Amino acid sequence: MIDIEKVRLDTSSCETVLHFNNAGSSLMPKPVFDALQSVLGDENAVGGYEAERRAQAQIQAFYTEFAALLNANPDEIAFVENATRAWDMAFYGLHLKPGDRVITHGSEYASNYLALLQQSRRLGFEIDLVPSDEFGQIDVAALDNMIGPNTKLIAITHVPTQGGLVNPAAEIGKIARKHGVIYLLDACQSVGQIDVNVAEIGCDMLSGTGRKFLRGPRGTGFLYVSKDIMDRIDPPFIDLLSATWTGANSFEFVKGAKRFENWESFVAGRVGLMEAVKYARALGLANVETRVANLAQELRDALTEIKGVSVHDLGQRKCGIVTFTKDGIEPAAMADQLRTKSINVSVSAMPYARLDLEPRGLESMTRASVHYFNTEDEIARFVMAVKTI
């Protein structure tokens, strides 16, 4: 179980501002903040190079902590500056060509889909959209039937940014392995609130961020690439960290996933993210997942009781992201009014989820996400605020 009192002691400002926007930016625990400040203090006192040298143990721990979190090997983990760039480093390195087919879903993140469109225009491959089942999630049976000899990639978002849906990632992994198709999973919104195990899911690549449910610093991200597929990806750009200049006209990639990294990086952020992973692992991701799911369902049930409020989360399984609308008030206006009551939420809107929201006739939704540090009393306060607006 999670000791909420201790967690709240480690969470600054949560007593004055009610945070329900963890899908966008979560509160940073005190140990993470302290680790970040320690490295920045060294940079101020002795300069960046010496600060990095002093932080070597924590920098190396980044790989072992993430490996333990995801059930991977340390050499399958890379530090990248954000989730989108991590996804890009994997996707843009694939050898796709005219006639190939890539399968994705209407819940795919906007930046990912834009990248698919760009590379489709450049390289000539085709994009196939797998339909949704009766729950609004990926139809696994339809996916199985869609795969043909030219299908080279399945690119899926685990938890879409615009709702509480949890796509059946492990079932998709079984289909990918059955057909021998590369599987890229965007886990930006799931790692930190769901117990994510890459071996059980069966993905070849997984990308994510530090600043959301992991509660790490902004400007940090990570990439997992299975050792089984590492040499089949050509990183879209390299430098003196990711490759070795072996001769005047030759080079070699470094071993492992560090070939997807840059030499210049946010050292304090990397150390802070490592501490965030340690913090999450100490709480236990199974405990986190249970608490977040229970709090979110409590919030959905309470919102449903308010006249004029509609909850819009899809999926047979749901997570901590809760989306809703209220008759007569735009979601952006709802967010503004809640902010005057010291309640932070965010908004999911077109065109960032065009393939999902447009078919449902939705322009935007208020996104009120919970995390394990939220309490039942805070949910009651939030619901009362929505009711009175």
Side-chain angles (χ1 to χ4, degrees), residues 212-226:
K212 294 181 184 286
F213 285 95
L214 274 175
R215 305 179 66 196
R218 189 160 197 172
T220 64
F222 59 93
L223 175 66
Y224 155 80
V225 179
S226 167

Side-chain angles (χ1 to χ4, degrees), residues 84 105 107-114 157 161-162 186 189 352:
T84 296
H105 183 247
S107 61
E108 190 66 4
Y109 184 54
S111 292
N112 301 349
Y113 205 87
L114 287 170
T157 292
T161 184
Q162 64 271 11
D186 181 337
Q189 303 283 3
Y352 304 111

